[in-house]
Structures are given as structure tokens and as C-alpha cells.
Amino acid sequence: MKSDSLKITILPLDINQSDLDSNLRLIEQLVSQPAVKNSNIIVLPELFSTGFIAEKEEIIKYAHSIDSEVLNSIRNLSQKTGAAFSGSFLCNDNNKFYNRAFFIDPEGNETYYDKHHLFSISPESRVLTGGNRQSPIINYMGWNLTMVICYDIRFPVWCRNVNQQFDIMLVPANWPNARKYAWEHLLISRAIENQCYVVGANRSGDDDYGNYDNLSFIFDPWGKTCGNVDLSTGIVSANIERDFINDVRRRLPVVNDADSFKIDVR
């Protein structure tokens, strides 16, 4: 079913470290909130089910596959709410461990992307395997979407919207307040240069790496904040319009002057 408008909602979970059941219960509570009603896409933070885990033994214990009960719960919620769900999780794929993004829609269609740029000044790059391909373009309700994860957003070539292939970029993240200025302005830059909506779905709360509150944003193709924040839950939602993005691209057709290039995946 195509639609000229979408409601996108971010659930900025205060992730309970390594507690899969508790995090799933929290999602179930949040999707029942009035702010989530009539959402078409619901975006969860990076590593929504576990938080970031630095120790290999703990990763082995808590990482799960795409066939796990955790992902089955997301599939069930998608069917129950009629909304597509996106986010990332700690994935065990044949005993290799990835930070894997997903897009699961109510019709049962599923798309995955493994984080390519692992954060080299943290243990992430030592304990996880980086993905070696860009996110495929996802068509949902007549809109084209792509996914990147957190640190990926620092690399504009990786995020480049070649020939305006996508309209929406989903960015699940665990981005701490200490680097708030960079996070917000990188999201704005990706929105402006790609002439697309950018959804920065950050977690909330605290962990060993910092505080994450109030860092979830939705930016329009001009780089301006759109949507509303529910003050009682922190849920961020926006109604986005096809006419708006078409108008931006028509008024400023930068695609006509864009460079052609090929990404060298290392």
C-alpha cells in the first residue's frame, strides 16, 4: 500500500544492560502509548535488546540470531501494531558477531544491514565483525529507505544518496551526550546533502560510556527538525510528506551536479 505521508516514531529506550526480556517488555509498554498510535515506522536504538557489550564471553552469551525469540517478538509487534520496526541488535551469525540493523514490516518482509564502521577507539572493533556491504534500498509504502548505524554517520561517502535512491535514512544509535554537537550536526549534514529525511534514533539513560538522554531527532531534507517530543516518555514522532521532499528536490536539483563515484569496501 502506497502512501504520500508516513508517521515515523522513535522509541528512545533506556536499555537495561544484557536483559533481553526487560527490554522487550519496555518496548511493549511504549508501543501502547498515545504518541505511538498510527505509526507506520517505529525505530528502536542501536543494540536495543542488550546495550553495548565489550567482553567476548558476554557477547557469546547474549548475542542472538535473526531466528531468535527476541526478533520473533519484534515480528509479532509489527503485525500487532501494523507498523514496520527498525533498529539494531547484537547478532550471532555462525559464530561471528555483528551489530546488525533490521527492517521488519507487517507483511513479513525483512531487510538486514551489518554496521560497517566499527568504533575503533572502543572495544567494538575488536569484538565484532564489520559488515562489507551497504544497506540495500528498502521500499515500504511507496517510500525508499536505507539504514546505517551510529558511527557510520560520520562517513558521508558511505551514506551518499546516489541518484536519489532513498527518501529516508534510519540511524539507530548509542551516541553519548559528550558528543552531542557532532551527532546533531552530522545528522543535519546527511539530511541536507542527501535531500532526505534522517531519523536519528538514540537510546536514553546511562551506561559506562555516558548519558544519552534527549538525543533522538528527525530532520527534514532542509536539515530542520521536524516532529514532536512526548515529554512524559521521550518518544519522538513526525509526520513526513511526499510533496515536501519532492518540492525540495525540484527547487534545488543538486542531483544534476552530483559526482559519480564507486565505494571501495575494505
Side-chain angles (χ1 to χ4, degrees):
M1 179 183 67
K2 292 185 177 182
S3 177
D4 289 332
S5 63
L6 292 178
K7 180 179 178 180
I8 300 179
T9 299
I10 299 171
L11 304 186
L13 307 181
D14 183 355
I15 299 170
N16 294 291
Q17 189 69 25
S18 304
D19 191 339
L20 282 66
D21 291 340
S22 179
N23 291 318
L24 288 172
R25 287 196 298 271
L26 179 57
I27 294 168
E28 291 173 356
Q29 293 169 11
L30 289 174
V31 297
S32 67
Q33 296 295 315
V36 184
K37 187 177 180 180
N38 297 323
S39 296
N40 301 114
I41 301 173
I42 296 172
V43 190
L44 308 174
E46 179 183 22
L47 300 172
F48 79 94
S49 53
T50 60
F52 176 68
I53 300 175
E55 300 298 328
K56 194 73 174 194
E57 294 77 11
E58 292 292 292
I59 290 173
I60 293 170
K61 181 177 180 180
Y62 291 106
H64 43 94
S65 73
I66 61 173
D67 298 320
S68 66
E69 286 304 313
V70 174
L71 268 291
N72 284 337
S73 295
I74 297 300
R75 293 179 182 103
N76 291 337
L77 278 173
S78 179
Q79 293 179 6
K80 179 180 178 181
T81 61
F85 276 73
S86 187
S88 93
F89 68 103
L90 186 57
C91 180
N92 183 342
D93 189 339
N94 293 316
N95 294 316
K96 284 189 175 182
F97 301 97
Y98 299 89
N99 187 341
R100 180 164 290 178
F102 60 89
F103 189 90
I104 296 172
D105 74 26
E107 302 297 321
N109 301 303
E110 302 182 8
T111 305
Y112 296 93
Y113 159 77
D114 294 329
K115 186 177 184 180
H116 179 63
H117 299 92
L118 301 179
F119 196 37
S120 59
I121 64 172
S122 83
E124 182 181 51
S125 62
R126 299 192 296 273
V127 296
L128 299 181
T129 298
N132 59 10
R133 66 181 181 92
Q134 290 180 286
S135 173
I137 302 301
I138 305 159
N139 185 270
Y140 180 65
M141 296 182 68
W143 295 71
N144 291 325
L145 303 92
T146 193
M147 301 181 288
V148 296
I149 302 174
C150 200
Y151 189 48
D152 282 328
I153 204 73
R154 281 189 179 269
F155 302 93
V157 175
W158 188 254
C159 300
R160 189 66 48 82
N161 193 2
V162 180
N163 296 324
Q164 295 181 336
Q165 290 181 304
F166 58 83
D167 309 308
I168 304 166
M169 175 181 285
L170 305 178
V171 193
N174 284 189
W175 197 292
N177 236 306
R179 294 187 290 276
K180 174 182 178 179
Y181 184 90
W183 167 243
E184 187 170 354
H185 286 78
L186 287 165
L187 293 172
I188 291 170
S189 297
R190 301 297 83 83
I192 293 171
E193 70 196 13
N194 290 315
Q195 293 188 311
C196 71
Y197 290 96
V198 173
V199 181
N202 210 46
R203 64 164 293 176
S204 60
D206 303 272
D207 67 7
D208 293 340
Y209 300 91
N211 173 267
Y212 302 88
D213 289 334
N214 305 313
L215 289 179
S216 288
F217 304 101
I218 302 174
F219 292 106
D220 71 20
W222 290 125
K224 296 180 179 180
T225 305
C226 57
N228 302 295
V229 180
D230 183 83
L231 296 179
S232 64
T233 61
I235 293 170
V236 179
S237 61
N239 292 299
I240 67 171
E241 301 293 337
R242 168 67 64 191
D243 285 347
F244 184 83
I245 193 170
N246 287 346
D247 183 60
V248 171
R249 291 174 174 178
R250 182 174 57 251
R251 291 170 62 185
L252 195 63
V254 296
V255 67
N256 296 336
D257 304 313
D259 302 307
S260 59
F261 68 98
K262 182 179 180 181
I263 292 178
D264 179 19
V265 178
R266 298 185 301 276

